[in-house]
Amino acid sequence: MYPMRLVFMCLVVALILGAGGPALGADKPAELSRAVSKAVSADAETSREASEWAGERASLLGEISQLRARQGQLKHQVAKHRAYLKTQEEAYARLEQKQAALARLNLELEPYLEQAYLQLEEFIKADLPFLEEERAQRLSFLRRSLDDYHLELSEKLRRLMEALVVEAEYGNRVEKTKETLDLDGKPTLVDIFRLGRLGLYYLTPDGSRLGWLPRGARDWQPLDPGYHRSLVRAVEMADRQRAVELITLPIGRPEQ
């Protein structure tokens, strides 16, 4: 369908042709026909260009809409990434603080471990003489651990704490072992009963002799024969041959 202006032009040409009649000459209709054809062609070209422009405009509007939607998504992503970055920066700052605190702790921990080891070593030397080989090996292992440059401080601390726990548990246990003591210049095999850290007691196999080593003493002392029955029962309880019961034994005065 032609545009209105093309219809108007055709009506004008028709009126001219009808009004002029023969006075226009034989060549006038041909010229007018060419003019109309040229106008129609020009108008068709204009319509085609307008249609193409309308298509391009619709396409551009669609692209603009897509770009705006994409822009909204990008703004959201930027905001989220900024929030993530802030969270990571805060976490990194906390980590740096922890690392600084850990570095200070390491500087303080190493001398503490050395001091604790020396105190443990002195404590064992002053303690009752029991399980001497086992405890000496533990101290030697701990000494090598603390002197190991490549060993982490956390592992050194763990090994020290293990040694302290074992030593602490000795005070809550009773134990019966067999050892050879020098009694009156003669090596004699005896049963040794350990009552925690309160005292060590010995009893000869025939039960004829008994003695004890109170905490803080260096030499074995004879024990009154009146404790013979209690000591026999104590040895049997430590050896799981008798049910636990109350007994009476001298314990001396524990050291502070």
Side-chain angles (χ1 to χ4, degrees):
M1 181 177 182
Y2 292 109
M4 292 299 296
R5 59 192 185 91
L6 180 57
V7 174
F8 177 74
M9 291 172 59
C10 292
L11 291 174
V12 171
V13 171
L15 290 173
I16 293 174
L17 291 175
L24 294 176
D27 57 342
K28 294 299 182 179
E31 291 179 1
L32 290 174
S33 177
R34 286 194 297 272
V36 170
S37 297
K38 185 176 181 180
V40 170
S41 297
D43 190 74
E45 180 66 20
T46 300
S47 298
R48 185 186 63 79
E49 291 178 354
S51 178
E52 291 179 356
W53 180 84
E56 291 179 0
R57 180 175 180 275
S59 177
L60 289 174
L61 289 176
E63 291 181 4
I64 290 173
S65 178
Q66 293 178 357
L67 290 174
R68 285 178 177 174
R70 180 60 178 165
Q71 183 184 31
Q73 295 175 355
L74 291 175
K75 285 182 178 180
H76 175 73
Q77 291 179 359
V78 168
K80 293 296 293 183
H81 282 297
R82 285 177 179 173
Y84 295 152
L85 181 60
K86 183 179 180 181
T87 302
Q88 291 299 320
E89 289 176 346
E90 292 174 352
Y92 181 73
R94 289 194 298 270
L95 181 59
E96 284 188 328
Q97 293 175 356
K98 290 181 179 179
Q99 289 178 338
L102 182 60
R104 291 193 301 269
L105 178 61
N106 287 341
L107 291 176
E108 297 172 359
L109 181 59
E110 194 163 14
Y112 166 77
L113 295 178
E114 185 66 27
Q115 181 182 4
Y117 169 82
L118 294 176
Q119 291 177 347
L120 177 61
E121 186 179 43
E122 290 300 319
F123 176 81
I124 292 176
K125 288 180 180 179
D127 197 17
L128 290 173
F130 63 91
L131 301 176
E132 295 177 283
E133 183 177 353
E134 175 184 321
R135 298 166 85 186
Q137 289 178 354
R138 186 178 298 109
L139 279 178
S140 178
F141 172 73
L142 190 56
R143 178 72 274 170
R144 293 194 304 272
S145 298
L146 295 181
D147 293 339
D148 188 349
Y149 175 78
H150 299 287
L151 193 63
E152 295 290 338
L153 281 176
S154 58
E155 179 62 18
K156 294 179 181 180
L157 176 62
R158 187 188 67 81
R159 295 181 183 183
L160 175 63
M161 295 303 296
E162 283 184 350
L164 292 174
V165 168
V166 171
E167 287 293 331
E169 289 177 349
Y170 286 149
N172 301 322
R173 295 179 180 177
V174 296
E175 183 181 39
K176 176 247 179 179
T177 57
K178 286 186 176 295
E179 296 184 22
T180 299
L181 298 181
D182 187 359
L183 300 178
D184 298 331
K186 296 180 181 180
T188 306
L189 183 66
V190 298
D191 289 326
I192 300 292
F193 172 71
R194 177 173 64 85
L195 181 59
R197 281 194 163 88
L198 298 177
L200 291 175
Y201 307 84
Y202 77 82
L203 179 68
T204 58
D206 59 5
S208 62
R209 303 184 64 177
L210 59 160
W212 73 310
L213 184 67
R215 183 178 176 85
R218 295 184 178 182
D219 300 319
W220 289 92
Q221 303 175 11
L223 191 61
D224 190 297
Y227 291 108
H228 178 271
R229 183 176 178 82
S230 292
L231 185 54
V232 170
R233 291 181 177 179
V235 170
E236 291 176 348
M237 285 187 287
D239 209 20
R240 299 183 184 277
Q241 296 178 357
R242 175 185 289 271
V244 176
E245 60 183 77
L246 291 176
I247 59 173
T248 301
L249 286 174
I251 58 174
R253 182 179 180 182
E255 291 184 343
Q256 295 296 327

